[in-house]
Each structure stands twice: as structure tokens, then as C-alpha cells.
Amino acid sequence: QVQLVESGGGSVQSGGSLRLSCEASGYIDAPYCLGWFRQASGKEREGVAAIDRDGGTTYARSAKGRFAISRDNAKNILYLQMNSLKPEDTAMYYCAAYVGRGYCPGFRASGWTYWGRGTQVTVSS
């Protein structure tokens, strides 16, 4: 089992920045994929950014150039630096982990193994 706990959410004005963190704990016996998803009220969960076992990153079009995903493997912490925030970035942000063989699941939410409970990000205009 892997537990994921997000933190760092909050309320900011448009153009502001936030840094989300996700701490992973539990039994992890192999390199794993990590990702950030978000879900706005009344909308489906969508992928924001993902990082694979070797540090390769993928971003949703809405996040490119503004968000940066990174991981500290020694501490088992995942980060999401969010800059130039917009009101449309308002959502619950979730951390996800895939512990298994093969390619990382990308932005298919159903492909991820573990999820955190989320941290709320609210951006006001």
C-alpha cells in the first residue's frame, strides 16, 4: 500500500503562485510514476502533469509554460510549482502514483494505482 498526502493548496489572486507537495509513504519496492490531476466543480478529473521513473515530464496544454512538476526521490515527495495562476486553475488537486511495470499511465486517470485526498486551489480574478 502507498499513502499519498497533498499539501500547499490555498487561495491566491490571478497571476499568483503556489507550490503543491505530495508526500508518499508506505511500501514502495520499485521506481514508480507520479502525477498531478485536478477536478473542478462539475467537471471530470483531468491530468495536469506527470513525471516518470527517470524524471521525464509530461504536461497538459493548460499547464505548459506555467507549471513545473518535480520529485525528490530521497524524500519520496512530489512537487508542483504553479505560476501565473488563472481563475480557471481553480480545482481540487490530486496526487497520483502508479506502482507497476510498463509505461506510466499518462493522463488516463483509471490507469493510476493510488490517489491522495486532494488539496484545494482557488484563484480569484
Side-chain angles (χ1 to χ4, degrees), residues 2-118:
V2 175
Q3 292 79 44
L4 303 172
V5 180
E6 303 95 336
S7 61
S11 297
V12 296
Q13 290 191 325
S14 182
S17 298
L18 283 173
R19 188 194 196 200
L20 306 184
S21 298
C22 171
E23 185 170 354
S25 61
Y27 182 66
I28 303 173
D29 62 350
Y32 55 105
C33 313
L34 289 166
W36 286 102
F37 287 74
R38 68 186 182 187
Q39 187 166 15
S41 180
K43 296 188 176 181
E44 291 187 357
R45 191 169 297 190
E46 63 176 4
V48 176
I51 186 166
D52 65 24
R53 302 172 184 87
D54 299 321
T57 57
T58 304
Y59 293 93
R61 185 176 299 179
S62 59
K64 277 185 180 178
R66 300 188 300 127
F67 295 1
I69 188 172
S70 61
R71 62 192 294 172
D72 183 332
N73 289 329
K75 297 180 180 179
N76 285 332
I77 298 178
L78 174 71
Y79 300 101
L80 183 68
Q81 177 67 44
M82 303 188 296
N83 300 323
S84 302
L85 283 162
K86 305 174 182 179
E88 50 264 44
D89 294 318
T90 295
M92 185 72 80
Y93 282 71
Y94 297 92
C95 171
Y98 172 73
V99 182
R101 300 177 183 273
Y103 294 105
C104 293
F107 292 150
R108 294 181 297 107
S110 61
W112 294 79
T113 315
Y114 300 102
W115 293 86
R117 293 189 173 186

